[in-house]
Amino acid sequence: LWIKEISKGMIREEWIYEHWGILLGKLGEYEQSILFHKKSIRIDQNASFFHNLGVVYQMSNKPKKALRAYKKSIKINPDNSP
């Protein structure tokens, strides 16, 4: 089912990476999570993607990187602030 939806453009690649990043973050696999969030950002510099990257940086005790990601998120979409 996913293959057909991807081929029709219904599921975008960056969202797949983003969801993997979220899942891996919840599992405590922070470095892998960061890699997937960065993949999604390389495709689409979406405010939510930067926000989620900030969350993972914060969870992995990287406050400076978290702050940078949060600032990028807010710069793209000021309404995305917590």
Side-chain angles (χ1 to χ4, degrees):
L1 179 65
W2 271 46
I3 302 298
K4 287 181 183 177
E5 290 177 353
I6 291 170
S7 66
K8 291 179 184 177
M10 296 173 73
I11 298 176
R12 294 171 35 191
E13 182 181 5
E14 64 270 32
W15 286 99
I16 294 170
Y17 291 139
E18 185 63 12
H19 286 283
W20 272 110
I22 291 168
L23 176 64
L24 289 164
K26 288 183 178 189
L27 293 173
E29 298 290 336
Y30 302 128
E31 294 307 314
Q32 287 296 313
S33 175
I34 289 166
L35 291 175
F36 276 95
H37 284 297
K38 286 182 175 182
K39 282 184 177 190
S40 66
I41 289 169
R42 276 196 293 272
I43 297 169
D44 180 7
Q45 295 207 347
N46 181 307
S48 295
F49 295 171
F50 278 106
H51 176 83
N52 292 335
L53 177 61
V55 169
V56 177
Y57 277 138
Q58 188 172 355
M59 290 171 32
S60 62
N61 200 27
K62 297 178 180 176
K64 289 181 183 178
K65 288 184 176 186
L67 185 58
R68 277 196 300 264
Y70 289 140
K71 284 182 177 180
K72 286 181 184 177
S73 173
I74 292 168
K75 185 176 181 180
I76 295 167
N77 181 0
D79 295 330
N80 203 42
S81 60

